[in-house]
């Protein structure tokens, strides 16, 4: 991690980790999807890795280039807001529809799984089309990192570690909940909660950050 004028500091590293965890622990579009994939046991590693790597890219981008991004792309905010809201409305409707399907498709391990490409595309869309992801990683973490002059990359490394820990614990920890979600009613409730979360995020986006 040490390069140029950047220095490694363990306390800043752990501060970054705690800040990263605190920002992503709340249920959101990404987290709901990772939880669902973990419960279904479908492409869990790939989904967790895609989310964590995406966060890592955005965290480093925020720590190193936040000021330049704001000055260079003033139009990015409305594009992310409305495009992301449209996608979340569609995904919420899809989840709500799934909640009313036959019980056979809602039990863990039942039904035909989604293709790897479709699953990964959905995962990346939920990550990169959600402006709140940019707000948390690029804007908030990027801003906080400025308090640690000379140690920004230690902060970024800590935040990235927190992201990896969270997504893999969420994805693989969900398997412990499988007995509960072997009941179709539990899957219906989860799908309805996911739909509500997606629409709530979309509503907040359209109303402003």
């Amino acid at each position: 991690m040490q390069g140029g004028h950047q220095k490694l500091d363990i306390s800043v590293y752990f501060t970054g980790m705690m800040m990263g965890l605190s920002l992503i622990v709340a249920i959101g579009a990404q987290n709901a999807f990772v939880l669902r994939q973990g419960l279904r046991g479908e492409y869990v590693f790939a989904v967790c890795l895609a989310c964590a790597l995406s966060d890592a890219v955005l965290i480093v981008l925020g720590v190193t280039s936040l000021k330049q991004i704001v000055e260079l792309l003033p139009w990015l905010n409305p594009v992310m807001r409305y495009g992301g809201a449209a996608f979340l409305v569609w995904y919420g409707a899809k989840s709500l529809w799934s909640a009313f399907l036959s019980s056979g498709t809602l039990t863990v391990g039942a039904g035909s799984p989604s293709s790897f490409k479709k699953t990964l595309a959905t995962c990346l869309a939920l990550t990169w089309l959600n402006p709140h992801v940019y707000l948390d990683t690029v804007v908030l973490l990027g801003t906080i990192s400025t308090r640690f002059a000379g140690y920004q990359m230690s902060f970024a490394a800590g935040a990235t570690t927190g992201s990896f820990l969270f997504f893999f614990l969420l994805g693989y920890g969900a398997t412990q909940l499988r007995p509960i979600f072997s009941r179709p009613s539990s899957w219906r409730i989860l799908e309805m909660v996911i739909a509500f979360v997606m629409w709530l995020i979309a509503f907040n986006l359209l109303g402003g950050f």
Side-chain angles (χ1 to χ4, degrees), residues 29-166:
Q30 248 188 342
N31 301 350
F33 183 76
V34 173
L35 176 63
R36 187 176 186 278
Q37 291 303 117
L39 289 168
R40 293 178 64 89
E42 291 179 8
Y43 315 115
V44 180
F45 181 83
V47 166
C48 293
L49 185 63
C51 289
L53 286 177
S54 295
D55 268 13
V57 170
L58 292 171
I59 289 168
V60 172
L61 189 65
V63 169
T64 60
S65 310
L66 177 60
K67 184 177 179 181
Q68 294 91 322
I69 292 171
V70 172
E71 293 176 351
L72 186 64
L73 304 173
W75 50 265
L76 195 58
N77 180 26
V79 169
M80 288 192 303
R81 180 181 300 175
Y82 293 110
F87 177 79
L88 291 171
V89 168
W90 171 82
Y91 192 87
K94 181 173 175 287
S95 294
L96 189 63
W97 176 256
S98 296
F100 293 100
L101 291 179
S102 62
S103 59
T105 60
L106 293 173
T107 53
V108 177
S112 57
S114 299
S115 68
F116 175 77
K117 287 184 178 180
K118 183 177 179 181
T119 300
L120 189 60
T122 301
C123 175
L124 293 175
L126 286 170
T127 300
W128 293 89
L129 294 180
N130 183 0
H132 279 290
V133 173
Y134 296 87
L135 179 65
D136 289 346
T137 56
V138 177
V139 179
L140 292 181
L141 290 178
T143 301
I144 294 170
S145 72
T146 61
R147 302 175 186 174
F148 306 101
Y151 300 95
Q152 287 97 328
M153 293 312 295
S154 294
F155 182 88
T160 298
T161 301
S163 181
F164 271 83
L165 285 173
F166 176 80

Side-chain angles (χ1 to χ4, degrees), residues 2 13 19 22 25 51 58 62 85 92 103 109 125 128 144 146-147 149 155 167 172 174-175 186 192 209:
Q2 196 167 349
Y13 172 86
M19 289 303 305
S22 67
V25 72
C51 289
L58 292 171
S103 59
W128 293 89
I144 294 170
T146 61
R147 302 175 186 174
F155 182 88
F167 284 118
Y172 285 98
T175 58
S186 298
M192 287 189 285
F209 285 112

